[in-house]
Amino acid sequence: MVVNPTIALVTGANKGIGFEIARQLGERGITVLVGARNEKRGEEAVQKLIAQGVNAYFVPLDVTDQQTIDDAAAHILTTFGKLDILINNAGIFLQESPPSSLDVETMKAVYDTNVFGVFRVTKAMIPLLRRSESGRIVNMSSSLGSLGLNSDPNFELASFLVLGYNSSKTAVNAMTVFFANELRGTSIKVSSADPGYCATSMTNYSGSRSPQEGAQTAVRLATLPSEEATGGFYNENGVVSW
Ligand SMILES: NC(=O)c1ccc[n+]([C@@H]2O[C@H](COP(=O)([O-])OP(=O)(O)OC[C@H]3O[C@@H](n4cnc5c(N)ncnc54)[C@H](OP(=O)(O)O)[C@@H]3O)[C@@H](O)[C@H]2O)c1
């Protein structure tokens, strides 16, 4: 039995990049809490992880449902007494019209998961992360949320006019910066990870990178040594422009 194991919660861990993050953290001996909104899908993911030697547990968690988040936080406190790593991975991408004809309800739905979901879960888990010797929060962002890149007319994706999803990731980056600033001076570091364009259900499996590759930056940031900086935005090649 591992004394004082490292505990990680990954939201949306039942498939895609989130599942891979859970698997790769588990490979490092970290106990993984598989946050999923659907019990069957969550339990199936846990069984797959256990079959690969990972110490994994299902935690019911819908990032749009405050009650499930509060219940998850209470369960983690009672069972493990702390949280060391939070990966805010759950996200959605909806079909969008260009900004001038984008339906506000679509934008609200995207924000409810991608922005307010990250905010709700982070806020609920911070008291548990404060009980860790070295807490890490990783927010799954995207280069599509980079204003630095999108404001360059030569950016290859500047014609990808997806205001809701892209700006949701810009807002995620803002949360990284502001939570990092609030928590500066504590042992908790907050970072944004850009996984690159990955073949998952979100992209209809069209991405050029595997979920395994997409998970690597988040895993690196989740296990960042204490001397590294907080509040950054990274991909596999280093710093990404805000
Ligand atoms: N794929 C890419 O190229 C790419 C690029 C940049 C950034 N990202 C980001 O990386 C993250 C993972 O994306 P992915 O490609 O792995 O997508 P995915 O395969 O579609 O997986 C998304 C995960 O989020 C979960 N989820 C959605 N809404 C949720 C909610 N309300 N509560 C809890 N879980 C919820 C899904 O659960 P269900 O199975 O129940 O739907 C699923 O487990 C997302 O934040 C995405 O924006 C992806």
Side-chain angles (χ1 to χ4, degrees):
M1 186 181 132
V2 185
V3 180
N4 193 18
T6 302
I7 312 293
L9 170 66
V10 184
T11 68
N14 55 285
K15 68 179 180 187
I17 299 168
F19 178 82
E20 261 307 312
I21 294 170
R23 198 186 62 74
Q24 291 179 25
L25 290 174
E27 249 176 17
R28 288 162 173 71
I30 293 168
T31 297
V32 177
L33 310 182
V34 171
R37 58 180 164 176
N38 178 279
E39 183 176 352
K40 185 167 178 286
R41 293 195 287 271
E43 289 287 9
E44 279 171 6
V46 165
Q47 290 313 315
K48 270 201 245 168
L49 290 167
I50 289 173
Q52 296 182 56
V54 174
N55 194 24
Y57 301 88
F58 168 56
V59 173
L61 202 160
D62 181 332
V63 303
T64 65
D65 181 342
Q66 187 67 50
Q67 190 61 54
T68 69
I69 298 168
D70 293 342
D71 290 349
H75 170 71
I76 295 168
L77 179 63
T78 318
T79 313
F80 302 100
K82 62 156 186 178
L83 183 65
D84 300 291
I85 296 168
L86 167 64
I87 313 277
N88 282 310
N89 167 79
I92 58 168
F93 181 95
L94 302 177
Q95 283 310 312
E96 292 187 30
S97 308
S100 60
S101 50
L102 175 61
D103 179 38
V104 72
E105 295 307 325
T106 303
M107 189 141 171
K108 279 186 184 173
V110 172
Y111 271 54
D112 198 21
T113 300
N114 293 9
V115 181
F116 301 124
V118 172
F119 178 65
R120 289 183 194 101
V121 176
T122 303
K123 204 176 150 191
M125 298 300 159
I126 280 179
L128 289 160
L129 287 155
R130 286 189 189 275
R131 299 167 74 102
S132 167
E133 280 173 19
S134 59
R136 301 286 179 265
I137 301 172
V138 180
N139 294 326
M140 291 305 282
S141 183
S142 169
S143 56
L144 291 171
S146 163
L147 296 178
L149 292 172
N150 277 293
S151 56
D152 174 357
N154 296 318
F155 177 46
E156 56 185 355
L157 295 171
S159 58
F160 190 57
L161 301 171
V162 181
L163 175 64
Y165 178 84
N166 291 5
S167 67
S168 77
K169 295 302 184 182
T170 313
V172 164
N173 284 344
M175 280 189 279
T176 294
V177 170
F178 285 98
F179 275 110
N181 285 348
E182 180 180 351
L183 296 167
R184 207 178 291 280
T186 74
S187 60
I188 304 173
K189 294 184 191 302
V190 192
S191 312
S192 277
D194 168 21
Y197 185 38
C198 297
T200 64
S201 66
M202 181 176 281
T203 60
N204 288 321
Y205 302 93
S206 62
S208 53
R209 291 164 60 75
S210 66
Q212 289 84 339
E213 291 170 308
Q216 285 167 6
T217 296
V219 170
R220 182 180 78 74
L221 295 170
T223 53
L224 216 54
S226 55
E227 61 274 15
E228 295 275 339
T230 185
F233 181 21
Y234 304 94
N235 65 14
E236 60 172 351
N237 299 317
V239 171
V240 182
S241 161
W242 294 114

